[in-house]
Amino acid sequence: MIAGTTGKTSNHLSGEKSPYLLQHLNNPVDWYPWGEAAFQKAKKEDKPVFLSIGYATCHWCHVMAHESFEDEEVARILNRHYVSIKVDREERPDIDKIYMSVCQSMTGQGGWPLTILMTPEAKPFFAGTYFPKLRRMNMPGLIDILKPIADMWGKNRHEILKASDDITNAIQPRKDSPHDELDMGTLQKGYDQFERTFDSQWGGFGTAPKFPTPHQLTFLLRQHRRRPDSSALKMVDQTLTAMRRGGIFDQVGFGFHRYSVDAKWLVPHFEKMLYDQALLAMAYIEAYQVTREERFAKVAKEIFTYVLRDMRAPNGGFYSAEDADSEGEEGLFYIWKKTDIMDCLGENDGDLYCRFYGITQQGNFEEGFNIPHISLSEEAFAQKEGIEPSRLEELLSTARGRLFEVREKRIHPLKDDKILTSWNGLMIAALSKGYQAMGDQRYADAAAAAADFILSELRGADDRLFCRFRDGDVAYPGYLDDYAFLVWGLIELYEATFDVTYLEEAVSLNKAMIDIFWDHKGGGLYFTGKGNETLITKSKEAYDGALPSGNSVAAQNLLRLGRMTGDVALEQSAEALMRSFSSNVKAHPIGYTQMLAAVDFVVGPSQEIVIAGDLNQETSQSMIRTVQQKFLPNKVILFHHEGPEGKRLETLSPFVKDMRSADRLSTAYVCEQHACRSPVKEVSQLNALLH
């Protein structure tokens, strides 16, 4: 049927693989995917373009779709006066970045769904996020917007075209600001900004809504290493502890929800994103390395339990996200009535579980439902109840397992099962760090399987990465984040397994990244480059938001690979990259915490560690564990194998050629701040050097 008529319809999205686009396949709106066909239609029919950007697990995207895009009246207006384009922001982050920047500059805020009106030349003249169908609570309705603009397009188009030209000119790359020195003072300024915005009551920074933003916490751990007398570790500890106890953590099935709508971390936005699991796992792992407190390691293990159980594809890659909604209601899969818990667990166990997790008859969520959360630690609760802590842990674990089995029978939220190279790179890094810190072989195996899948299935004949895999289909030439995040994962995977293949791949992809994305005039890396679609502008950014930026991660990769290979040019590229963003970082360091980790590496001290010998020898393994289990954020480690593997490493890192095992004994070489210590053969001697 023709889109816009009554009954089931089919628009131009049927050939797409994105779960988000396919959610809109039967809308009466005559959607097109982003592409030449849509823009040619707009030019031929002399219509403006209605661009809607979102993603499959976005709650407000669902709301707007149900209110407006499934509505015949809205569809008639759109189909008559506009050409409508749907974009999955996770498949096309290049498009999303450009038009999100337009929305933020025009309205002072952003988010999804993103609503843009633009000319057939893709020049924007109107921007917003969610709009109801009709005006409500001081929000203009979508119909209230579409009708007058369509009329204006016909009668006063010159005003629209002038606005679109002005906006397009405003988002063009600007001449780089004067470069400032990024140094210890920049790190201190970032710390001071966090100390001022820290919520001493509930943890985290600022007020509601609260996002985890784990790279802020890992920056503070680096500050603690420099200044143990500061409040850095206290801020990290309180925040990580509060998040694990709050409703933002899935107390029954594990894993973290997207963010908390309140200051207490109690009521989450219930979607689960792969990148949040990866970045939060790394924060808890580093907190464990700093403190050696098992409670932090336990949370990282819980995150990995969720990811390996629910987010891992049979091919070894990792899915993108799980929706907040099920059965048309946000959070329904995750919330409980007290009677449901009592029916499942019985009177005694049910009463204990409810008291520990704050479950009441009145509920702490809508309509008498409860979000399980923890007010007292297990130790404090056990003392209060007069129960042995080990017995309490056993009872709660058994109860959780029974509730999980009951919950599994509910209708599950949608799983966005596309596999993204960039987010998989983050999970590879997290699992590899997890293996290094905690020694669970499953994590290294899972990281290697994901890396092998990405390298074999999401890389073309020209060795160029692709962004997305779904249902056997590979699409979209990779963006900066795909390269930077995957290289990060491969570096961590090499340092976990010492399989030289992963270091070779990291070096190769890093070289390709520089070739494809480097800005030869201003320094730094564009988000798109050779082979990507040419859009109305090119973005180049270092801001570390929900995700760290590709430039920030690339800076660290360049520094680490420079030290691992002895290639000074890589470190020079890192310095040029950091200089290109230095004025922004220096002015507002709290917004660039992943970049500050690179600054921390440059300021030093940093260490290069080479262990030579037989990888299977007990002393070699003890030396490796000694290094891997410590919090040494500014170290690189290589293992110089005997035999062919060693020759391959020497090709990558010629400086290791003379670093060999002495007297057939495992030998460690440690260099710090460009000065090398005498090689050592005892684990205790290595431990002393690392301190």
Side-chain angles (χ1 to χ4, degrees):
M1 299 182 70
I2 303 298
T5 62
T6 57
K8 278 287 181 182
T9 63
S10 180
N11 43 45
H12 295 82
L13 302 179
S14 60
E16 298 301 305
K17 292 292 185 180
S18 159
Y20 175 63
L21 268 59
L22 293 176
Q23 286 173 352
H24 296 270
L25 175 61
N26 292 315
N27 289 172
V29 176
D30 189 18
W31 293 113
Y32 279 77
W34 181 279
E36 189 63 27
F39 290 104
Q40 285 298 331
K41 177 181 172 68
K43 291 172 184 176
K44 181 179 178 181
E45 298 182 4
D46 194 26
K47 293 178 178 179
V49 172
F50 177 84
L51 172 65
S52 177
I53 303 176
Y55 57 104
T57 58
C58 165
H59 170 69
W60 286 104
C61 298
H62 299 328
V63 174
M64 191 167 177
H66 179 67
E67 283 185 313
S68 296
F69 303 144
E70 296 172 9
D71 182 83
E72 295 287 345
E73 183 181 5
V74 173
R76 280 194 294 272
I77 296 169
L78 284 171
N79 296 343
R80 182 177 300 129
H81 299 290
Y82 297 85
V83 173
S84 300
I85 296 177
K86 262 289 172 193
V87 167
D88 182 338
R89 66 122 176 162
E90 295 168 358
E91 284 192 338
R92 294 302 304 266
D94 54 336
I95 298 170
D96 179 61
K97 282 180 181 293
I98 290 172
Y99 293 103
M100 184 60 73
S101 70
V102 169
C103 183
Q104 289 169 332
S105 64
M106 291 178 69
T107 69
Q109 58 186 12
W112 298 276
L114 178 60
T115 303
I116 300 288
L117 298 180
M118 57 190 187
T119 70
E121 292 73 35
K123 295 181 178 181
F125 57 83
F126 176 88
T129 53
Y130 162 79
F131 295 101
K133 176 186 173 182
L134 300 172
R135 180 177 294 276
R136 186 173 74 237
M137 296 176 64
N138 296 320
M139 279 191 294
L142 187 59
I143 288 178
D144 303 323
I145 295 165
L146 294 176
K147 284 183 175 180
I149 289 181
D151 185 61
M152 190 175 181
W153 181 262
K155 296 177 181 177
N156 296 305
R157 188 178 309 181
H158 66 280
E159 294 184 24
I160 289 178
L161 295 179
K162 184 180 185 306
S164 69
D165 286 339
D166 290 345
I167 293 166
T168 302
N169 289 333
I171 62 172
Q172 297 308 309
R174 293 288 174 256
K175 185 177 179 181
D176 292 299
S177 303
H179 296 153
D180 292 319
E181 188 71 25
L182 298 178
D183 52 20
M184 190 79 81
T186 314
L187 300 176
Q188 180 63 42
K189 184 176 179 180
Y191 169 82
D192 292 341
Q193 288 178 332
F194 279 115
E195 193 171 43
R196 286 196 299 271
T197 58
F198 180 65
D199 182 345
S200 59
Q201 183 175 9
W202 304 109
F205 304 94
T207 57
K210 279 186 177 172
F211 290 79
T213 324
H215 37 283
Q216 296 178 346
L217 304 177
T218 54
F219 161 71
L220 287 171
L221 289 173
R222 283 153 179 76
Q223 286 301 103
H224 165 73
R225 187 166 179 261
R226 292 188 178 280
R227 293 178 48 207
D229 60 335
S230 72
S231 298
L233 183 58
K234 176 186 175 183
M235 289 189 280
V236 173
D237 186 334
Q238 187 173 346
T239 301
L240 291 177
T241 300
M243 287 195 298
R244 172 57 182 85
R245 292 180 181 176
I248 192 174
F249 186 78
D250 178 0
Q251 304 290 345
V252 174
F254 300 154
F256 279 91
H257 299 297
R258 180 68 198 91
Y259 63 87
S260 175
V261 302
D262 63 341
K264 302 178 182 180
W265 305 106
L266 174 62
V267 180
H269 180 47
F270 287 92
E271 65 185 310
K272 289 181 176 178
M273 312 300 292
L274 181 68
Y275 62 79
D276 281 326
Q277 314 311 318
L279 294 167
L280 280 162
M282 286 192 266
Y284 281 96
I285 288 164
E286 290 195 353
Y288 169 62
Q289 289 175 315
V290 169
T291 64
R292 305 309 297 174
E293 293 191 27
E294 285 294 329
R295 60 194 175 96
F296 293 122
K298 182 181 178 183
V299 183
K301 292 174 184 177
E302 290 169 339
I303 293 171
F304 291 146
T305 294
Y306 160 67
V307 169
L308 295 177
R309 182 191 68 221
D310 291 347
M311 300 299 286
R312 191 181 187 196
N315 56 33
F318 293 98
Y319 300 133
S320 295
E322 288 192 306
D323 206 339
D325 297 13
S326 57
E327 301 181 68
E329 293 188 40
E330 183 179 8
L332 187 61
F333 181 75
Y334 298 102
I335 54 182
W336 301 83
K337 290 284 182 74
K338 182 175 182 180
T339 51
D340 297 332
I341 290 177
M342 298 301 292
D343 290 345
C344 174
L345 300 180
E347 185 174 349
N348 292 333
D349 291 351
D351 182 63
L352 179 74
Y353 184 92
C354 288
R355 283 187 286 117
F356 183 77
Y357 283 103
I359 308 297
T360 66
Q361 198 68 41
Q362 297 79 20
N364 56 28
F365 193 54
E366 300 164 355
E367 300 177 11
F369 280 100
N370 289 272
I371 302 168
H373 67 288
I374 300 169
S375 298
L376 290 177
S377 67
E378 287 189 15
E379 295 79 4
F381 186 85
Q383 184 176 19
K384 178 184 175 185
E385 298 291 324
I387 306 174
E388 285 293 323
S390 59
R391 176 59 179 160
L392 176 64
E393 183 178 6
E394 179 185 350
L395 289 170
L396 292 174
S397 177
T398 300
R400 187 201 66 80
R402 288 159 64 187
L403 290 172
F404 179 78
E405 290 176 3
V406 169
R407 198 179 77 174
E408 281 295 281
K409 297 173 184 175
R410 296 177 177 177
I411 296 174
H412 283 241
L414 170 117
K415 194 188 304 289
D416 187 335
D417 60 356
K418 66 177 179 287
I419 295 171
L420 297 172
T421 298
S422 58
W423 298 2
N424 272 255
L426 295 176
M427 186 51 68
I428 292 165
L431 287 162
S432 299
K433 287 173 75 74
Y435 169 74
Q436 292 172 51
M438 299 179 290
D440 191 325
Q441 186 63 42
R442 293 176 300 167
Y443 303 156
D445 291 345
D452 294 345
F453 171 75
I454 297 294
L455 292 169
S456 64
E457 299 298 326
L458 280 132
R459 187 163 56 173
D462 60 354
D463 284 342
R464 172 96 193 222
L465 289 176
F466 287 91
C467 168
R468 186 269 288 153
F469 176 96
R470 183 175 186 268
D471 196 22
D473 181 72
V474 173
Y476 309 112
Y479 310 105
L480 171 60
D481 288 3
D482 295 303
Y483 287 81
F485 294 179
L486 182 58
V487 169
W488 183 9
L490 292 170
I491 293 171
E492 297 293 350
L493 184 54
Y494 169 75
E495 291 195 342
T497 65
F498 300 107
D499 183 336
V500 180
T501 299
Y502 297 120
L503 184 56
E504 291 170 336
E505 295 285 12
V507 170
S508 175
L509 288 171
N510 190 74
K511 182 179 179 181
M513 178 190 73
I514 296 293
D515 178 61
I516 294 167
F517 302 103
W518 189 259
D519 176 5
H520 292 280
K521 291 183 178 180
L525 296 152
Y526 285 113
F527 188 75
T528 55
K530 300 174 185 176
N532 293 114
E533 181 180 350
T534 301
L535 302 172
I536 60 171
T537 188
K538 294 181 74 170
S539 63
K540 187 179 76 171
E541 60 183 40
Y543 179 76
D544 299 315
L547 281 163
S549 73
N551 271 292
S552 295
V553 172
Q556 289 179 278
N557 293 344
L558 287 162
L559 290 167
R560 293 175 73 184
L561 289 175
R563 297 292 175 87
M564 296 174 92
T565 63
D567 187 347
V568 175
L570 294 177
E571 293 192 63
Q572 292 171 337
S573 293
E575 291 169 6
L577 186 158
M578 294 164 69
R579 280 198 305 272
S580 68
F581 299 104
S582 60
S583 59
N584 290 334
V585 176
K586 190 133 186 151
H588 190 60
I590 196 172
Y592 300 87
T593 45
Q594 194 74 27
M595 185 68 79
L596 292 183
V599 176
D600 188 76
F601 190 105
V602 171
V603 171
S606 57
Q607 294 175 313
E608 300 86 53
I609 302 163
V610 178
I611 299 173
D614 181 348
L615 186 59
N616 296 316
Q617 193 177 72
E618 184 178 345
T619 304
S620 295
Q621 288 297 314
S622 295
M623 285 181 166
I624 290 168
R625 286 194 297 272
T626 295
V627 175
Q628 289 179 337
Q629 291 175 1
K630 291 184 183 301
F631 182 61
L632 301 170
N634 298 337
K635 69 95 175 69
V636 297
I637 179 172
L638 301 166
F639 191 89
H640 193 189
H641 298 258
E642 298 174 346
E645 285 282 294
K647 294 294 183 184
R648 289 170 63 193
L649 181 63
E650 290 170 17
T651 301
L652 287 175
S653 312
F655 69 90
V656 306
K657 188 173 183 179
D658 296 324
M659 294 179 172
R660 299 187 176 279
S661 58
D663 304 322
R664 303 181 67 84
L665 297 174
S666 301
T667 305
Y669 299 80
V670 178
C671 302
E672 184 172 308
Q673 295 301 88
H674 311 290
C676 295
R677 309 292 182 86
S678 298
V680 298
K681 303 172 191 174
E682 301 288 339
V683 175
S684 59
Q685 294 173 314
L686 173 59
N687 192 50
L689 288 180
L690 298 178
H691 279 291

